[in-house]
Amino acid sequence: SRFETCWPALMMDSHGVIIIFNPELPSHLKEIEMWYSYFVQQQSLLDSQCLLVAHHKPGSAGDTENLSLAYPLNKLKLIHSNLEEDPEDVRMEFIKYFRSIITLINESREREEMSIIS
């Protein structure tokens, strides 16, 4: 992709990765494996720091709700977003995700402070 040269700057000091994709496009299902490998695994982030969002366009086929992803993507938190039907559910999932990231950041900061003190 023509943006690959920007990726290192995007990833610098990142604490979380949200991958949004269209589950109806087979090409997207291949690409998310690459994004996961590059943005999560190679940055040594935890799987809990990654959120997958399968975004369903208005009027799209509903059967992709039963999306089964292959390993290692099936270990990640996956939410389905359909802003016509359940914007509130999606909002709550994002809030939960951000809270978990903030907790991780605070815990690692406390560990750093303790290691400096001791």
Side-chain angles (χ1 to χ4, degrees):
S1 131
R2 60 174 183 233
F3 297 115
E4 278 180 44
T5 49
C6 307
W7 287 2
L10 284 173
M11 293 181 303
M12 202 169 128
D13 298 330
S14 63
H15 295 287
V17 175
I18 298 174
I19 299 174
I20 301 173
F21 65 99
N22 182 343
E24 292 174 55
L25 291 182
S27 62
H28 272 205
L29 298 179
K30 290 304 307 164
E31 283 174 29
I32 56 177
E33 289 180 23
M34 177 194 68
W35 294 333
Y36 170 73
S37 166
Y38 196 85
F39 285 95
V40 181
Q41 289 180 312
Q42 291 181 40
Q43 304 312 306
S44 300
L45 293 180
L46 302 169
D47 285 341
S48 60
Q49 289 168 276
C50 182
L51 178 66
L52 288 182
V53 181
H55 183 65
H56 301 268
K57 291 183 174 172
S60 64
D63 59 352
T64 45
E65 288 276 344
N66 300 319
L67 191 63
S68 59
L69 297 171
Y71 182 85
L73 298 174
N74 60 5
K75 301 182 300 171
L76 303 173
K77 171 81 176 159
L78 168 68
I79 65 170
H80 291 271
S81 78
N82 181 332
L83 300 181
E84 278 186 320
E85 290 173 24
D86 54 6
E88 191 54 30
D89 284 1
V90 174
R91 201 173 73 87
M92 292 310 295
E93 289 292 352
F94 270 97
I95 289 170
K96 264 196 285 190
Y97 171 71
F98 289 125
R99 279 193 184 134
S100 72
I101 296 295
I102 289 165
T103 302
L104 270 172
I105 293 168
N106 288 338
E107 285 171 356
S108 71
R109 190 173 294 144
E110 282 169 17
R111 273 197 304 273
E112 277 172 31
E113 287 170 1
M114 291 308 289
S115 68
I116 292 167
I117 293 165
S118 54

